[in-house]
Amino acid sequence: MKKYLFNPYRGIYYEDGINRTGIKVLVVGVSHYCKGGCNESDRDLCLKNPFEKKICSVDDSFLCDYNMDNIYYYLKDSSDYKTYIRLSSIFLQEQCIGKNENEESQKDYIWSHIAYTNYLQKILPTTNSTSKNYDFSNYSFDMFISALKVIQPLPDLLFLIGNNVRGAFTENMANLNKHLQPISGVRNKEWLFRGRILDKDMIFCVLKHPGWKHYSKDIQNENIERFKEALKNAKEVI
């Protein structure tokens, strides 16, 4: 029986690696959010069996395909997907934080070479992803690992989107006595780590959330520098 609720997205050329480096990349987003304003009991009903139910889904597709649906619609028309637009620009190493010609022409190539999944295997009530409604539990981490297992071969480099995802990894790995080893960043604000999951050495890079309301070109440039350093370190694990 599957523990995870949402199928990870895996680009058709994922195994070739990003930017012709051979480095297999997984982007770990935060969570899915309810778009219909439904209450908690309704959301629980949606998630009772997402592999068979289409309640709250997009265009009558199965709820378990939420990851793939979001990326499909971004690739089809990126105007409402600023997080994906900015992620693509980070991978292109461009400071632009809005839709632009280069991002538009290269996005299919980028996303065909990476994998993506959100960390939480649930649907949150709003897009305000604060720590108080985020689930740092062992149970949620185990659900994420069950989703990670289906991305084969396993990634070499994980981009963790935002501090909540960072905290979920650092806390749960510490609880398992498999502490992530800091590479870059000041104490308690480290953003580049090395660790081992599922008997595989991986690099973990925390990006400042591209969907943050105060996101700026300066933050975009910082994320690009993090991306570059992460790639350098990931070469050691492939």
Side-chain angles (χ1 to χ4, degrees):
M1 181 178 178
K2 296 177 180 177
K3 291 184 180 180
Y4 63 91
L5 300 180
F6 303 106
N7 293 317
Y9 164 86
R10 181 184 183 279
I12 189 171
Y13 302 118
Y14 160 78
E15 287 189 54
D16 294 342
I18 193 170
N19 295 358
R20 301 181 179 87
T21 60
I23 297 169
K24 296 179 290 297
V25 165
L26 170 65
V27 177
V28 183
V30 183
S31 179
H32 295 296
Y33 302 95
C34 182
K35 298 177 180 178
C38 53
N39 60 38
E40 187 171 355
S41 61
D42 290 333
R43 291 194 300 275
D44 289 343
L45 179 62
C46 290
L47 294 172
K48 192 170 184 180
N49 195 339
F51 299 94
E52 294 181 4
K53 290 188 178 295
K54 298 183 178 181
I55 303 172
C56 295
S57 63
V58 179
D59 286 355
D60 202 37
S61 59
F62 288 106
L63 192 61
C64 60
D65 290 331
Y66 218 145
N67 288 313
M68 288 169 279
D69 286 342
N70 279 339
I71 293 169
Y72 169 77
Y73 282 104
Y74 159 63
L75 296 176
K76 182 179 178 182
D77 177 12
S78 64
S79 56
D80 292 330
Y81 291 86
K82 64 181 178 182
T83 295
Y84 296 135
I85 291 171
R86 292 168 181 172
L87 279 171
S88 295
S89 293
I90 290 168
F91 298 148
L92 288 169
Q93 301 174 42
E94 291 192 342
Q95 281 191 307
C96 185
I97 61 174
K99 191 172 182 179
N100 63 89
E101 290 184 5
N102 197 26
E103 172 263 332
E104 185 67 19
S105 65
Q106 295 294 317
K107 62 185 182 182
D108 286 288
Y109 177 83
I110 292 168
W111 288 86
S112 68
H113 285 78
I114 64 177
Y116 180 92
T117 190
N118 276 327
Y119 178 81
L120 283 187
Q121 300 296 304
K122 60 172 64 177
I123 297 178
L124 294 182
T126 69
T127 56
N128 182 22
S129 178
T130 60
S131 294
K132 69 179 181 180
N133 64 13
Y134 204 72
D135 186 350
F136 295 92
S137 70
N138 240 351
Y139 178 73
S140 282
F141 188 67
D142 190 45
M143 290 184 75
F144 169 79
I145 294 300
S146 73
L148 177 61
K149 287 179 180 178
V150 307
I151 303 172
Q152 295 293 331
L154 291 170
D156 307 302
L157 171 58
L158 279 71
F159 286 104
L160 313 181
I161 305 301
N163 285 329
N164 283 335
V165 181
R166 175 195 185 277
F169 271 83
T170 54
E171 287 185 22
N172 282 283
M173 292 298 285
N175 290 338
L176 294 171
N177 201 27
K178 296 181 179 180
H179 297 73
L180 296 181
Q181 303 302 312
I183 298 173
S184 292
V186 299
R187 185 173 176 81
N188 296 323
K189 292 184 179 180
E190 300 91 348
W191 56 266
L192 191 63
F193 303 86
R194 183 168 184 150
R196 190 171 180 83
I197 294 181
L198 299 173
D199 296 321
K200 170 83 167 61
D201 287 325
M202 302 177 185
I203 298 297
F204 303 81
C205 177
V206 182
L207 295 179
K208 293 187 175 181
H209 201 307
W212 186 38
K213 63 181 179 181
H214 299 300
Y215 200 80
S216 65
K217 288 185 178 179
D218 287 341
I219 296 174
Q220 175 80 353
N221 192 49
E222 182 178 346
N223 275 340
I224 290 170
E225 293 306 311
R226 291 185 180 193
F227 170 76
K228 291 177 181 177
E229 187 167 346
L231 286 183
K232 290 179 184 177
N233 281 270
K235 290 178 181 178
E236 299 176 6
V237 301
I238 61 175

